[in-house]
C-alpha cells in the first residue's frame, strides 16, 4: 500500500483513533491528578580531590574520582547518614536520596524527595551535613591511630635520650679521663644527637599528617544549600498530557490498522467509495448507485427512485444507451446482486426499452424466483443447442422486460461456459434487445463470472457494506476483472441505511449520466 491508501484507512477508522486518543489522554490526566505530588530539592557540595590524595590525582584522576563518588554515594544512602537525618527531621521512614556528580566538575548534588516542599529541602541539607560529618569521622580514624603510633615513638625516643643523657652526665662527672671513657662519651653524644634528630623528624611527620588530616576534613564542603522548590517534580500534568497524546495517537493508528486487517467487511458506504477510489485511482463516478435497504425486494416499485438514478448513471439521461449489455456480479454471496438486476431491468423497461435479464448464475439461480417465472428452459439449454433464444426467453408482467432463466441444471457450469461461443451469444442478444443485464455468480466463489465477462460490454460490482465483502475482497475481485481486460463500469452500494441516499460520484457531487 502507498501513502494515500494508508491515509484512506485512517480516514475510515478516524473514530477509533479519536476514541483511543481520548481514552489515553483521559487516563494519563486521571493518573496524574490522583498521584501524590513529589517535591525534590538539591544541595551542592564541592569535592576537593587534591586535598584528599595528591598522588591519586597525579596518577589516575578519573578512576579515583569515580571511586570516591561511588563511596560517598553509598555513605550518603547509609542508615548512619540518611537514616539519622530522617529520624532527626521526624520522617517515619527513610525517603529517597540521590547522590550524583556534575560532569567535568568537582561538584556533587544531594537530592532528597518528599511529599512537601520544605521537608525535601531540609532533608537534603541535613543529609549533606551528616555526610560531611561522617566522611570527617572516617578520615579521622586512621589519623588517631597514626597519632598513637607517633606518640609511642616520641615517648620511646625521649626516654632513650634521657637515659643516655644521664649516662653521659654521670661519666663526665665521675668517670676517668682515659681513652675508653672519652670513647664512650663520644659514642653517647653521637647517639643522643641522632635520636634528637629522629625526634625532630617524627615531630615534623606528625605535624604534616595533622595538616593533611585537616585538609581532608575540609575536602567536602557545601557550596549551595537546598531551597524549598516552588513546584512539584512529579506529577507534571503538561508532560502527562503530551505523552498521553503521543501514546494515544500511536495506539489509535495501530488499532485502526489492526481493525482494518481483522474486520473483513466494510463499515459504511463511504468506506466502499474510498476503497474503490484507492484501487482504481479514480475519483469520478466509481459508485454508480446507493440502494436503500427496503428498495431491494421485488421488481415492482421504486419508491425512493434509487434504481431510476442507477439507470441514469449507467445508461445515460438523454435516452442514448451507453452500454448495451452489463454483467452484474458481486465478490461474495448475499450482496443482493439478483435484486439489483431485477429492479434495474424493471426501471429500464419502464423507460421504454426492450430489456432482457439473463440468469447466468448456473450454480444458485434466483432470478426466476425474483420475477416469479418458471425455469424449465433457459440459458443452459441455449448454450447446449437444445433450444433457441426465441424458445427460452420469457416475458414478465412488466411491459418490455424479458428474462432468460438459468435453464436445466448442469454438473459443470464452468466447463459449459468455457466451450460455449459467448461472443456469438452476445451478438444474438444485441439484435433483439436494447439492453441486456446478466446476473452472474460471485467472482470469488467461482470462475464463471470471469468467463461470462466476455459476453458483456462492462461489469458492475454489487457490494453490501455489512456483508462479507471487505477491502481485500473488493481489491481481489477488481484485480481478477482487470486481469481479463474486462471493462469495469463501477460499484453499486446495496443495503444503505439512509433511505434518502442519492446518487453521488466519488467526490460526493450528484452523478451525471453517462
Amino acid at each position: 500500500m502507498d501513502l494515500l491508501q494508508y491515509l484512506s484507512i485512517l480516514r475510515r477508522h478516524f473514530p477509533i483513533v479519536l476514541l483511543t486518543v481520548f481514552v489515553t489522554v483521559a487516563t494519563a490526566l486521571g493518573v496524574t491528578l490522583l498521584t501524590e505530588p513529589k517535591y525534590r530539592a538539591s544541595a551542592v557540595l564541592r569535592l576537593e580531590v587534591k586535598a584528599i590524595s595528591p598522588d591519586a590525582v597525579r596518577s589516575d584522576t578519573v578512576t579515583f574520582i569515580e571511586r570516591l563518588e561511588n563511596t560517598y554515594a553509598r555513605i550518603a544512602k547509609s542508615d548512619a547518614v540518611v537514616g539519622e537525618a530522617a529520624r532527626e527531621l521526624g520522617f517515619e521512614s527513610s525517603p529517597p536520596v540521590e547522590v550524583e556528580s556534575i560532569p567535568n566538575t568537582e561538584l556533587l548534588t544531594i537530592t532528597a524527595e518528599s511529599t512537601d516542599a520544605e521537608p525535601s529541602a531540609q532533608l537534603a541539607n541535613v543529609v549533606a551535613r551528616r555526610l560531611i560529618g561522617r566522611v570527617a569521622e572516617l578520615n579521622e580514624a586512621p589519623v588517631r591511630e597514626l597519632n598513637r603510633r607517633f606518640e609511642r615513638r616520641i615517648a620511646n625516643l625521649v626516654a632513650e635520650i634521657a637515659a643516655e643523657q644521664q649516662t653521659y652526665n654521670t661519666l663526665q662527672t665521675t668517670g676517668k679521663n682515659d681513652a675508653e671513657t672519652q670513647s664512650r662519651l663520644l659514642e653517647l653524644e653521637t647517639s643522643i644527637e641522632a635520636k634528637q634528630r629522629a625526634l625532630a623528624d617524627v615531630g615534623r611527620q606528625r605535624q604534616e599528617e595533622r595538616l593533611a588530616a585537616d585538609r581532608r576534613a575540609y575536602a567536602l564542603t557545601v557550596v549551595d544549600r537546598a531551597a524549598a522548590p516552588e513546584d512539584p517534580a512529579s506529577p507534571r500534568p503538561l508532560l502527562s498530557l503530551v505523552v498521553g497524546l503521543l501514546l494515544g495517537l500511536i495506539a489509535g493508528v495501530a488499532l485502526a490498522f489492526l481493525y482494518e486487517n481483522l474486520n473483513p467487511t466494510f463499515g459504511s458506504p463511504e468506506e466502499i467509495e474510498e476503497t474503490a477510489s484507492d484501487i482504481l485511482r479514480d475519483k469520478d463516478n466509481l459508485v454508480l448507485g446507493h440502494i436503500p435497504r427496503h428498495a431491494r425486494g421485488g421488481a415492482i416499485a421504486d419508491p425512493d427512485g434509487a434504481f431510476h438514478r442507477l439507470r441514469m448513471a449507467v445508461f445515460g439521461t438523454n435516452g442514448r444507451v451507453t452500454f448495451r449489455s452489463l454483467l452484474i456480479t458481486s465478490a461474495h454471496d448475499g450482496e443482493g446482486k439478483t435484486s439489483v438486476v431485477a429492479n434495474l431491468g424493471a426501471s429500464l423497461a419502464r423507460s421504454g426499452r426492450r430489456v432482457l435479464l439473463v440468469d447466468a448464475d448456473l450454480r444458485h439461480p434466483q432470478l426466476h424466483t425474483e420475477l416469479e417465472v418458471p425455469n424449465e428452459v433457459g440459458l443452459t439449454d441455449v448454450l447446449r443447442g437444445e433450444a433457441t433464444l426465441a424458445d427460452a426467453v420469457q416475458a414478465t408482467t412488466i411491459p418490455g422486460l424479458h428474462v432468460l432463466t438459468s435453464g436445466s441444471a448442469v454438473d459443470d457450469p464452468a466447463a459449459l461456459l468455457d466451450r460455449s461461443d459467448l461472443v456469438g451469444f452476445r451478438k444474438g442478444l444485441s439484435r433483439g434487445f436494447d439492453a441486456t443485464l446478466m446476473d452472474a455468480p460471485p467472482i470469488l466463489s467461482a470462475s464463471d463470472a470471469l468467463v461470462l465477462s466476455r459476453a458483456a460490454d462492462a461489469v458492475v460490482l454489487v457490494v453490501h457494506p455489512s456483508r462479507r465483502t471487505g477491502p481485500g475482497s473488493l481489491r481481489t475481485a477488481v484485480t481478477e476483472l482487470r486481469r481479463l481486460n474486462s471493462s469495469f463500469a463501477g460499484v453499486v452500494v446495496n443495503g444503505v441505511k439512509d433511505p434518502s441516499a442519492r446518487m453521488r460520484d466519488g467526490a460526493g457531487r450528484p452523478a451525471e449520466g453517462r
Side-chain angles (χ1 to χ4, degrees), residues 43-45 47 69 72 99-101 106-110 220:
V44 182
L45 285 69
L47 174 64
E69 290 170 349
Y72 286 170
V99 180
E100 297 178 345
S101 62
E106 295 181 341
L107 301 179
L108 298 175
T109 59
I110 296 179
L220 194 61

Side-chain angles (χ1 to χ4, degrees), residues 470-483:
S473 298
L474 181 58
R475 188 179 301 278
T476 303
V478 174
T479 301
E480 289 293 326
L481 292 172
R482 280 181 163 181
R483 186 169 58 84

Side-chain angles (χ1 to χ4, degrees), residues 194-457:
K195 290 178 178 179
Q196 287 176 341
R197 288 195 299 271
L199 182 60
D201 291 339
V202 171
R204 283 194 300 272
Q205 291 177 9
R206 181 182 181 182
Q207 184 64 26
E208 289 173 358
E209 290 296 335
R210 182 72 264 173
L211 293 174
D214 291 339
R215 286 197 300 271
R216 286 194 292 271
Y218 293 99
L220 194 61
T221 56
V222 175
V223 297
D224 190 7
R225 288 175 55 82
E230 296 181 358
D231 300 314
S234 65
R236 299 168 64 183
L238 181 59
L239 179 61
S240 298
L241 178 63
V242 173
V243 173
L245 182 62
L246 292 177
L247 291 179
L249 283 174
I250 295 172
V253 171
L255 286 176
F257 282 99
L258 180 63
Y259 182 82
E260 179 76 12
N261 291 329
L262 295 180
N263 183 25
T265 63
F266 290 105
S268 66
E270 290 74 20
E271 291 186 20
I272 298 175
E273 295 182 34
E274 292 180 9
T275 302
S277 299
D278 292 339
I279 295 172
L280 299 173
R281 299 292 192 273
D282 187 3
K283 299 295 182 183
D284 296 326
N285 298 326
L286 283 172
V287 176
L288 302 172
H290 295 78
I291 309 301
R293 284 184 175 179
H294 64 268
R296 293 178 56 200
I300 305 302
D302 186 12
D304 296 293
F307 290 101
H308 174 74
R309 291 191 293 270
L310 178 58
R311 185 193 78 205
M312 291 190 297
V314 178
F315 292 94
T317 58
N318 56 2
R320 180 176 60 84
V321 176
T322 304
F323 298 116
R324 295 292 299 272
S325 60
L326 280 181
L327 182 76
I328 298 178
T329 182
S330 59
H332 295 287
D333 291 320
E335 308 275 356
K337 60 181 179 60
T338 301
S339 293
V340 171
V341 170
N343 283 277
L344 179 59
S347 180
L348 282 168
R350 294 191 184 98
S351 70
R353 296 178 175 87
R354 280 177 53 82
V355 182
L356 175 63
L357 306 183
V358 179
D359 193 347
D361 191 348
L362 304 182
R363 300 173 188 272
H364 303 287
Q366 295 292 328
L367 195 55
H368 64 283
T369 303
E370 191 86 11
L371 297 174
E372 299 180 351
V373 297
N375 186 23
E376 297 175 358
V377 179
L379 177 61
T380 58
D381 304 287
V382 173
L383 294 178
R384 288 185 298 193
E386 298 175 357
T388 63
L389 275 175
D391 296 332
V393 171
Q394 305 177 59
T396 67
T397 57
I398 299 176
L401 182 65
H402 300 76
V403 60
L404 176 62
T405 62
S406 61
S408 305
V410 295
D411 295 332
D412 192 351
L416 175 62
L417 294 174
D418 278 335
R419 63 174 179 263
S420 300
D421 182 13
L422 294 178
V423 176
F425 174 72
R426 171 183 174 182
K427 292 179 180 178
L429 296 177
S430 65
R431 285 194 294 268
F433 299 93
D434 298 323
T436 301
L437 304 180
M438 300 180 67
D439 181 12
I443 292 177
L444 302 184
S445 299
S447 62
D448 301 6
L450 301 177
V451 178
L452 286 166
S453 64
R454 301 197 302 265
D457 293 335

